């Protein structure tokens, strides 16, 4: 069975600090996708990134960067120079290849509440 | 702007009532999902559907049922609401697994309180 662990329940930083959110996953599939979603106080989950299991290249998008390491089954997310607007709950998720005719399901971690203080 | 719309942001229902949570998407997605979100547990999958009139149980289907009569609409039904079903409910949709973009799009959530 697949599993996603986000060990950090809450993190608090001061604005402009860098912060890394950890994500560790378990799966028996060789083909899978990893995701990060952001949930601001409004409640709607916002997609941030998708990574497939064959692409271990790290990615940078503005102040956001992601480090995918298959050897440690980790997909960590770093925010550089954090801002107050980054305050949200962040979820890491895993999806495996679906069975024929079915849908690709997401398994979520328990989330990390990030608070950025001014 | 593509959207997943849930009919209510907040609902208060009494124990034993039949409750309907409605979700509509405008992206012509094949797949639709219902999750519940509880503190410390993340999002857990209740039911999903990969086609009209098709449904599959997720991780926590007990006490729930679903209906998908049209491609754009996916309803979650609590046959007899109980206090332990007080939670945030999130609907999502996604394209066919073979699509290039596989990420799910989420609605804004319905916070249900059962008293």
């Amino acid at each position: 069975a697949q599993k996603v662990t986000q060990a950090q329940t809450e993190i608090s930083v001061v604005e402009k600090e860098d912060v890394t959110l950890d994500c560790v996953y378990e799966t028996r599939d060789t083909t899978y996708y990893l995701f990060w979603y952001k949930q601001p106080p409004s409640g709607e989950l916002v997609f941030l990134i998708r990574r497939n299991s064959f692409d271990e290249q790290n990615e940078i998008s503005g102040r956001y960067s992601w480090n995918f390491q298959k050897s440690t089954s980790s997909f960590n997310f770093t925010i550089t120079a954090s801002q107050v607007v980054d305050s949200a709950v962040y979820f890491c998720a895993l999806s495996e290849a679906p069975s024929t005719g079915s849908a690709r399901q997401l398994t979520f971690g328990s989330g990390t509440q990030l608070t950025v203080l001014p | 702007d593509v959207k997943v719309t849930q009919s209510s942001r907040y609902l208060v229902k009494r124990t034993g009532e039949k409750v309907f949570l409605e979700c509509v998407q405008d992206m012509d997605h094949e797949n639709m999902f219902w999750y519940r979100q509880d503190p410390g547990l993340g999002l857990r999958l209740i039911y999903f559907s990969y086609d009209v009139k098709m449904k599959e149980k997720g991780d926590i289907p007990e006490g729930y049922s679903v209906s998908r009569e049209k491609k754009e609409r996916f309803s979650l039904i609590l046959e007899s609401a109980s206090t332990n079903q007080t939670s945030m409910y999130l609907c999502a949709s996604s394209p066919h697994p073979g699509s290039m973009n596989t990420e799910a799009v989420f609605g804004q959530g319905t916070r249900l309180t059962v008293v």
Side-chain angles (χ1 to χ4, degrees):
Chain A
Q2 52 189 354
K3 184 179 177 183
V4 177
T5 301
Q6 294 179 255
Q8 304 151 307
T9 306
E10 295 182 24
I11 299 176
S12 188
V13 299
V14 177
E15 205 169 20
K16 297 184 183 174
E17 285 184 8
D18 299 347
V19 58
T20 295
L21 309 182
D22 297 332
C23 174
V24 174
Y25 63 92
E26 295 175 30
T27 178
R28 282 180 280 195
D29 272 17
T30 55
T31 302
Y32 52 89
Y33 286 86
L34 293 163
F35 302 79
W36 275 95
Y37 282 86
K38 173 183 180 179
Q39 186 180 42
S42 59
E44 183 174 334
L45 267 75
V46 177
F47 166 78
L48 295 178
I49 190 171
R50 175 188 69 250
R51 196 33 118 225
N52 76 52
S53 52
F54 297 107
D55 182 1
E56 284 194 74
Q57 207 169 18
N58 291 330
E59 180 156 340
I60 298 174
S61 175
R63 296 184 297 108
Y64 295 171
S65 62
W66 290 270
N67 182 276
F68 176 28
Q69 292 195 341
K70 285 179 80 170
S71 60
T72 55
S73 297
S74 65
F75 186 44
N76 297 336
F77 173 31
T78 297
I79 302 175
T80 303
S82 59
Q83 300 176 2
V84 172
V85 293
D86 295 327
S87 296
V89 181
Y90 290 86
F91 289 98
C92 180
L94 165 71
S95 108
E96 296 174 334
S99 56
T100 303
S102 185
R104 189 185 296 278
Q105 305 166 48
L106 287 167
T107 297
F108 284 85
S110 55
T112 298
Q113 170 72 61
L114 173 66
T115 302
V116 181
L117 302 168
Chain B
D1 198 19
V2 293
K3 264 189 166 178
V4 175
T5 304
Q6 295 181 230
S7 53
S8 305
R9 287 299 304 270
Y10 300 94
L11 272 180
V12 180
K13 296 291 182 180
R14 294 195 179 279
T15 302
E17 275 193 74
K18 189 168 186 175
V19 181
F20 293 84
L21 302 183
E22 306 287 349
C23 175
V24 177
Q25 52 101 356
D26 64 1
M27 295 162 283
D28 201 35
H29 283 169
E30 285 78 9
N31 307 317
M32 295 189 76
F33 307 83
W34 276 106
Y35 292 87
R36 66 176 279 177
Q37 180 181 358
D38 300 289
L41 297 177
L43 278 73
R44 293 178 292 165
L45 182 63
I46 305 171
Y47 266 98
F48 66 98
S49 167
Y50 54 90
D51 202 351
V52 175
K53 296 192 185 296
M54 305 303 290
K55 59 186 179 184
E56 287 195 28
K57 294 179 180 179
D59 299 318
I60 51 165
E62 296 78 17
Y64 303 94
S65 62
V66 290
S67 171
R68 193 167 181 201
E69 297 296 318
K70 294 185 177 181
K71 189 175 185 180
E72 67 270 18
R73 187 180 295 271
F74 192 37
S75 303
L76 179 70
I77 304 155
L78 286 66
E79 296 289 343
S80 178
S82 64
T83 55
N84 62 13
Q85 292 178 310
T86 291
S87 186
M88 168 75 97
Y89 290 87
L90 288 157
C91 175
S93 72
S94 69
H96 188 277
S99 304
M100 285 296 292
N101 297 320
T102 58
E103 60 268 21
V105 178
F106 283 81
Q108 78 277 28
T110 296
R111 189 166 292 281
L112 173 66
T113 302
V114 182
V115 298

